[in-house]
Amino acid sequence: MSSSELLAPERPAPARPDPKGPDPEDPVPELLAPLDLAFWHLESTDHPLHLGALAHFGPAPAPAGHEPPDVLDLLARRAAAVPRLRMRVRDVLLPVGGAAWSADPGFDVRRHVREVVLPGADFPAESARIAAELMEQPVERGRPPWEMYLLTGAPDGSFAVLVKLHHALADGMRAVAIGAGIFDEIAAGRRPAGRPRPVPPRSWLPAPGRLLDIARERLGDLGRAVEVGASVVGASVVRAARPAEALAAHSSGTRRIATVTLDLERVQRIRRATGGTANDVLLAVTAGALRRWFDGRGLPLPGTDPRALVPVSRRRPGAAPGPGNSLSGYLLDLPVTEPEPAARLAAVRHAMDRNKAAGPLKGAGAVALLADRLPPLAHRIGGPLASGAARLLFDVLITQVPLPRAALSLGGAPLRALFPMAPLARGQSLAVAMSPYGGRVHIGLVADGEAVPDLDALAAALAAELDLLDPPRTAAEPGPRPGPAD
């Protein structure tokens, strides 16, 4: 079934007066940060670059004598109340090649929030299928670059919400901060939205007393950029000679999505027994699942282990997520050629320890830092050329997106699961994203639809690999109480 057929029963959000709508002459445009600008120009029509999340909610309770809440209307009101979601990207004269966030004078939330009614026989499967079709489609670049879809039709009254945010708008942590505005617990403590007031760009003429400090900072930045650049070149040469072909694909413009849920307590139990972090355990589980998946396809194991890019936030712990992207990354050779699960976990733990000892600002994984050193015109011209270079550095993206630990709801309907979805790099067939919530790890797999028709087999392999590291317990063998996530 095509996306046009599935979207036929679509219902837009209701119209709502906006007396505090943005005035195009009011805000001072906020220049896109270099990395945001890079993501904006890396996108093409057949290769969208947006983040996503598929959230599943239980039925909304209906108070006695009252109708259940109109979730579509609630979504529209709460999304419209997030100032950043009223902003669009537009070109600017200076700096040459630059772009800025500015208030959309024609902002209409009905263009961004819609309802799609699905067949209810297998609602989780249908929601994943329509989410894949919707994720294929780029967001409209002339408007604020985001969309939300309310997916309904489940027999028990449960529903799902698909959120799409362009990567220029946010990294994983910022996307959570923006998207969390739809939840009851966050919206209740938020001030009424007024006009968006972006931070004006800093003056190009710093105070004289700052010139020496700025010069020192720039020299330090240049040194780091040269070091990262040399690492990128070295890693690219090596990868050009040994890419993991099973994870490579010519972009078909199609997407396939699969989801899997793992027990967080089991992950923590493995961590406590072996050391390291919960993320180390999940990376080792992913490596084992890829090995099992290769075997199930009848493919020989690669001659060298495939390399994963593991994004790392550059935001300070506990700090409020600022605008835009603030990312670096670690490169990790996934030990799929290692037959023993425990040895795979040990290899991941040691490799990640080395990465962390070096820090997120060094090595080829910190390639995102180079974006901060390039002028806007270089991003505009070089973006289309650089979009296919990812496979020279890594074979698969594996990222973890943190969520609030508190229970969340929408219109009183409890959040049951939230599956993050990472953008698929050009030339690659798979991206993996994970979010712990409610004692579970929710994993979203995004793949090229033609290259990976058997994505459900990889999802099943993830659950099977966790069983190897932590055999399922019987009812007579209760485990310890859950600990905090890493």
Side-chain angles (χ1 to χ4, degrees):
M1 184 179 294
S2 69
S3 58
S4 59
E5 292 173 311
L6 278 172
L7 294 178
E10 181 178 293
R11 178 167 70 103
R16 182 166 294 277
D18 188 14
K20 295 183 179 180
D23 179 351
E25 302 300 327
D26 182 25
V28 178
E30 174 193 344
L31 293 177
L32 267 71
L35 187 53
D36 302 346
L37 192 63
F39 285 133
W40 188 248
H41 291 305
L42 283 171
E43 182 179 66
S44 63
T45 303
D46 63 342
H47 197 87
L49 198 65
H50 45 250
L51 311 171
L54 182 62
H56 286 271
F57 295 87
H66 294 81
E67 291 291 322
D70 185 333
V71 178
L72 185 66
D73 177 66
L74 190 61
L75 267 180
R77 285 190 285 113
R78 290 182 176 173
V82 178
R84 178 60 75 177
L85 296 184
R86 295 169 171 263
M87 309 296 285
R88 64 175 180 173
V89 176
R90 65 176 180 84
D91 294 337
V92 295
L93 293 176
L94 292 175
V96 176
W101 294 106
S102 64
D104 181 3
F107 177 77
D108 185 347
V109 74
R110 293 174 299 172
R111 296 172 175 171
H112 299 267
V113 180
R114 299 180 175 91
E115 179 179 8
V116 180
V117 181
L118 302 177
D122 188 350
F123 185 76
E126 290 293 339
S127 59
R129 184 156 64 93
I130 187 61
E133 295 194 16
L134 291 170
M135 289 293 286
E136 294 173 2
Q137 305 168 13
V139 295
E140 188 168 340
R141 291 170 71 90
R143 296 173 180 165
W146 63 276
E147 298 169 1
M148 288 186 189
Y149 293 88
L150 172 64
L151 309 180
T152 59
D156 64 352
S158 59
F159 60 92
V161 174
L162 173 68
V163 180
K164 292 169 55 178
L165 297 173
H166 196 285
H167 210 335
L169 184 65
D171 55 22
M173 289 185 67
R174 179 62 180 166
V176 170
I178 292 174
I182 71 170
F183 294 115
D184 299 337
E185 294 75 12
I186 308 300
R190 186 173 54 200
R191 298 175 182 176
R195 294 173 177 171
R197 303 256 182 196
V199 178
R202 295 178 180 177
S203 170
W204 288 13
L205 298 175
R210 278 278 297 153
L211 289 176
L212 184 58
D213 291 339
I214 290 175
R216 291 195 184 102
E217 291 169 3
R218 293 295 180 266
L219 285 174
D221 290 345
L222 179 60
R224 282 191 294 271
V226 170
E227 181 182 352
V228 171
S231 299
V232 168
V233 171
S236 299
V237 171
V238 173
R239 295 306 297 168
R242 58 182 186 96
E245 293 299 332
L247 296 173
H250 294 291
S251 178
S252 69
T254 63
R255 293 291 181 269
R256 189 176 301 274
I257 289 173
T259 62
V260 62
T261 302
L262 304 180
D263 187 337
L264 180 58
E265 164 55 21
R266 297 180 67 195
V267 174
Q268 296 288 12
R269 190 157 57 222
I270 298 167
R271 175 190 66 82
R272 288 190 290 267
T274 61
T277 68
N279 197 43
D280 294 342
V281 176
L282 293 170
L283 289 168
V285 166
T286 304
L290 287 173
R291 178 186 173 90
R292 184 182 294 259
W293 182 57
F294 290 154
D295 183 63
R297 282 184 149 200
L299 297 174
L301 291 175
T304 54
D305 289 325
R307 179 169 291 170
L309 174 65
V310 183
V312 179
S313 176
R314 290 156 55 195
R315 305 183 193 277
R316 293 182 179 179
N325 290 268
S326 183
L327 291 172
S328 183
Y330 297 136
L331 292 181
L332 171 71
D333 288 341
L334 295 169
V336 301
T337 56
E338 169 55 58
E340 294 298 326
R344 285 197 293 268
L345 176 54
V348 166
R349 186 172 67 248
H350 294 324
M352 290 301 289
D353 285 346
R354 287 194 301 269
N355 276 328
K356 293 170 188 174
L361 304 183
K362 294 183 179 181
V367 63
L369 300 181
L370 296 180
D372 292 336
R373 312 279 81 83
L374 296 176
L377 187 59
H379 290 300
R380 184 177 293 273
I381 296 174
L385 301 176
S387 62
R391 64 175 299 191
L392 296 179
L393 278 177
F394 63 96
D395 302 297
V396 60
L397 174 71
I398 305 178
T399 184
Q400 185 173 142
V401 181
L403 293 178
R405 296 193 180 191
L408 300 172
S409 60
L410 174 61
L415 176 66
R416 289 177 170 172
L418 191 149
F419 300 98
M421 288 175 273
L424 195 61
R426 184 180 295 278
Q428 297 181 355
S429 64
L430 176 69
V432 182
M434 311 177 182
S435 284
Y437 172 78
R440 299 286 185 269
V441 180
H442 302 100
I443 303 177
L445 305 175
V446 177
D448 183 280
E450 293 186 4
V452 190
D454 57 341
L455 189 60
D456 287 339
L458 180 58
L462 287 163
E465 283 302 311
L466 183 65
D467 287 345
L468 290 182
L469 287 170
D470 180 63
R473 298 190 174 200
T474 65
E477 298 178 289
R481 295 176 63 86
D486 284 305

